[in-house]
């Protein structure tokens, strides 16, 4: 097994399309790294450059410390699992799994042993004699995984391997893949556009946008400390609410005004995020996760303050209730939010005549709020996120992770 290192990797297709820009990413030996981002952001291209299926225009790819730019795909010792797992319909599961080994003239007894072992790992033992058409979608995907496993590669490269399965099966196979990868300990790069899949599978998650790496971090860190607006809006469901606000007050008592309403921020806010001090008196982008808002009726003490609005839509999810409402704050329209809206298939309306931003709060199911009701929404202001309105960079401090680009200049 081996780590995989990409250093300043770029890709320009022959027609001039730039698909990947200056991608530097190290995947440790045995690590499960997920590459996530909207359609067209360059995930497949990056993976294919590692696999040797696509020329590397710029930079270097190393596998196990060996630069492989000029090493043909078959000699890179990696196994790729695709979304479409073309199985040979006339071959049994056993022969499908062992096919690559037969091609390479591996002795029959050895193939049998390796296929048996892979089948045990994958729960396919009793299906080895069957033809693919008698298998379920999930079983077929496992056969495709089996092919990769018997090769005992230095790394698995998976490109949306579950996207052809229905939602329930996908969740099941997701758990399987995680278990198999853990058991085998093979370095894995897994591509998906599904942020939930990314969060649940990855030891670390790398978020890409338009060919560029935005952030790479363990899932929880990505969620808690997104480096910029794009990562903030992309990771999490329902997405983080983003709205324009103005910081005021002083370092001891910072205040935030959004849509004519005022929230007070904890005194420690500026100690935790020193860079925020230079934003006092200025507009910022404020991010608030749905779960950091609660029906004020259910909150005993409120330190940060609350927003008032009208419940426009109430969705009971059982475990919680999603309450949609609007505030009179300007909608955040940046290149990042446009990209997020495009990915979500929604429209950014541009700057509206009267400012209005739609928000979603995740209330406790004990809430009695109904559609059309006036609602007071308590905001946990200690958990707000702040971003530079021009660069979209997260505002922290000059030392911490996610330092704003303004500070680095
Ligand atoms: N052979 C090619 N020639 C020219 N441009 C290409 C080629 N393959 C991909 N592209 C372009 O490169 C960019 C990145 O494509 P890529 O397939 O790597 O994205 P992706 O992140 O895998 O997207 P998806 O989630 O849709 O699979 C896109 O703009 C795409 O149109
Ligand atoms: Mg792709």
């Amino acid at each position: 097994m081996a780590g995989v290192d990409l250093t300043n990797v770029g890709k320009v297709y022959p027609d001039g399309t730039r698909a990947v820009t200056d991608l530097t990413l190290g995947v440790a030996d045995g690590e499960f790294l997920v590459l996530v981002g909207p359609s067209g952001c360059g995930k497949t291209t990056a993976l294919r450059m590692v696999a040797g299926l696509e020329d590397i225009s710029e930079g270097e790819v190393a596998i196990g410390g060996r630069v492989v730019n000029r090493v043909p795909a078959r000699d890179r010792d990696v196994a790729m699992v695709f979304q479409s797992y073309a199985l040979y319909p006339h071959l049994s599961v056993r022969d499908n799994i062992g096919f690559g080994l037969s091609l390479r003239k591996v002795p029959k007894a050895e193939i049998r042993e390796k296929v048996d072992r892979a089948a045990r790992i994958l729960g396919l033992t009793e299906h080895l004699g069957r033809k693919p058409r008698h298998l379920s979608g999930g079983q077929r995907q496992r056969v495709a995984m089996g092919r990769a496993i018997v090769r005992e590669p230095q790394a698995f490269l998976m490109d949306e391997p579950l996207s052809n399965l229905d939602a329930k099966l996908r969740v099941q196979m997701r758990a399987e893949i995680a278990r198999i990868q853990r058991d085998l300990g093979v370095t894995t790069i897994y591509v998906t556009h599904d942020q939930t899949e990314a969060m649940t599978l990855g030891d670390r998650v790398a978020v890409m946008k338009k060919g560029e790496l935005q952030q790479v971090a363990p899932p929880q860190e990505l969620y808690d400390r997104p480096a910029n607006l794009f990562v903030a809006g992309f990771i999490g469901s329902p997405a983080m609410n983003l709205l324009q606000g103005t910081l005021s007050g002083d370092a001891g008592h910072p205040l935030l005004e959004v849509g004519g309403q005022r929230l007070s921020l904890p005194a420690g806010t500026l100690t935790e995020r020193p860079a925020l001090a230079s934003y006092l008196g200025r507009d910022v982008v404020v991010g608030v996760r749905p779960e950091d808002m609660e029906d004020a009726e259910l909150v005993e003490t409120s330190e940060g303050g609350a927003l008032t609005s009208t419940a426009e839509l109430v969705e009971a999810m059982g475990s919680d209730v999603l309450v949609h409402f609007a505030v009179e704050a300007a909608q955040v329209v940046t290149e990042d939010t446009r990209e997020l809206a495009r990915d979500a298939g929604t429209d950014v309306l541009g700057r509206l005549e009267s400012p209005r931003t739609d928000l979603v709060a995740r209330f406790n199911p004990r809430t009695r709020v109904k559609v059309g009701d006036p609602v007071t929404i308590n905001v946990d202001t200690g958990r707000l996120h702040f971003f530079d309105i021009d660069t979209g960079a997260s505002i922290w401090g000059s030392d911490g992770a996610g330092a704003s680009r303004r500070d680095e200049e």
Side-chain angles (χ1 to χ4, degrees):
M1 273 167 286
V4 176
D5 289 289
L6 290 85
T7 310
N8 308 118
V9 169
K11 174 71 184 181
V12 181
Y13 281 107
D15 69 355
T17 305
R18 174 168 276 286
V20 175
T21 305
D22 198 22
L23 177 61
T24 295
L25 186 61
V27 188
D29 189 7
E31 184 177 24
F32 197 132
L33 182 107
V34 178
L35 207 52
V36 72
S39 184
C41 74
K43 307 179 294 292
T44 295
T45 303
L47 200 68
R48 287 172 60 86
M49 284 192 282
V50 175
L53 301 173
E54 207 63 73
D55 284 339
I56 299 163
S57 313
E58 297 146 5
E60 266 180 9
V61 173
I63 299 172
R66 174 177 72 134
V67 175
V68 294
N69 286 42
R70 299 192 193 296
V71 177
R74 63 177 181 279
D75 297 329
R76 290 197 189 186
D77 200 12
V78 296
M80 190 126 174
V81 182
F82 298 95
Q83 168 181 65
S84 55
Y85 30 89
L87 304 180
Y88 300 102
H90 58 289
L91 294 183
S92 65
V93 167
R94 173 178 294 283
D95 292 340
N96 263 289
I97 295 179
F99 190 77
L101 300 181
S102 310
L103 273 187
R104 256 172 279 144
K105 309 264 185 285
V106 174
K108 286 222 162 57
E110 192 181 329
I111 296 179
R112 172 161 281 277
E113 195 180 305
K114 285 186 170 160
V115 172
D116 282 339
R117 193 173 80 94
R120 267 198 307 279
I121 293 168
L122 294 161
L124 286 172
T125 304
E126 57 267 49
H127 303 295
L128 282 172
R130 292 191 168 189
K131 297 280 164 61
R133 67 175 177 278
H134 299 301
L135 302 178
S136 68
Q139 287 165 339
R140 284 181 211 168
Q141 183 53 265
R142 266 182 259 172
V143 175
M145 290 275 300
R147 275 185 185 167
I149 290 173
V150 293
R151 291 187 45 196
E152 297 170 9
Q154 302 226 50
F156 288 137
L157 306 176
M158 305 193 192
D159 193 356
E160 312 225 12
L162 306 182
S163 58
N164 281 345
L165 305 179
D166 66 49
K168 195 174 162 200
L169 200 53
R170 213 152 61 204
V171 172
Q172 207 178 315
M173 278 301 291
R174 195 161 81 197
E176 290 271 287
I177 287 183
R179 177 183 62 81
I180 292 162
Q181 196 274 345
R182 232 183 0 256
D183 288 354
L184 298 174
V186 178
T187 310
T188 300
I189 306 180
Y190 184 106
V191 162
T192 179
H193 64 262
D194 179 342
Q195 61 90 23
T196 312
E197 212 166 275
M199 293 291 278
T200 50
L201 277 174
D203 291 324
R204 284 188 309 152
V205 177
V207 183
M208 285 179 74
K209 183 195 78 178
K210 291 185 171 172
E212 293 184 38
L213 181 66
Q214 304 293 301
Q215 186 174 12
V216 52
Q220 196 65 45
E221 190 180 324
L222 217 53
Y223 191 82
D224 292 336
R225 290 183 73 126
N228 59 36
L229 267 181
F230 181 79
V231 176
F234 190 76
I235 300 291
S237 177
M240 183 189 286
N241 299 286
L242 300 169
L243 59 167
Q244 202 167 312
T246 311
L247 285 172
S248 60
D250 54 53
H253 299 94
L255 300 168
L256 174 69
E257 279 172 50
V258 280
Q261 308 197 48
R262 179 176 286 183
L263 299 169
S264 64
L265 304 177
T269 305
L270 292 169
T271 327
E272 199 192 342
R273 300 161 193 255
L276 207 53
S278 65
Y279 288 83
L280 285 174
R282 291 165 55 190
D283 286 349
V284 289
V285 176
V286 182
V288 50
R289 296 245 180 236
E291 66 271 26
D292 295 330
M293 292 186 277
E294 183 57 278
D295 183 350
E297 302 262 325
L298 302 176
V299 180
E300 282 178 16
T301 54
S302 162
E303 284 167 14
L307 300 170
T308 55
S309 184
T310 304
E312 293 181 357
L313 177 66
V314 177
E315 298 175 284
M317 312 293 286
S319 57
D320 41 46
V321 176
L322 300 181
V323 176
H324 300 243
F325 63 98
V327 293
E328 287 175 11
Q331 202 179 0
V332 180
V333 183
T334 69
E335 191 251 316
D336 277 352
T337 58
R338 281 184 197 283
E339 187 67 16
L340 289 165
R342 201 174 63 88
D343 180 55
T346 54
D347 288 328
V348 176
L349 299 170
R351 300 200 185 271
L352 303 175
E353 289 285 309
S354 53
R356 176 195 155 99
T357 300
D358 295 309
L359 286 87
V360 182
R362 194 196 288 276
F363 282 3
N364 187 289
R366 286 183 295 122
T367 181
R368 303 238 279 277
V369 170
K370 287 186 286 302
V371 174
D373 284 354
V375 59
T376 304
I377 305 108
N378 192 77
V379 179
D380 186 348
T381 52
R383 298 186 55 84
L384 293 176
H385 299 255
F386 300 93
F387 306 92
D388 185 288
I389 207 159
D390 297 320
T391 66
S394 196
I395 305 168
W396 286 100
S398 41
D399 50 345
S404 83
R405 276 172 241 165
R406 187 175 294 268
D407 285 329
E408 285 164 14
E409 277 165 11

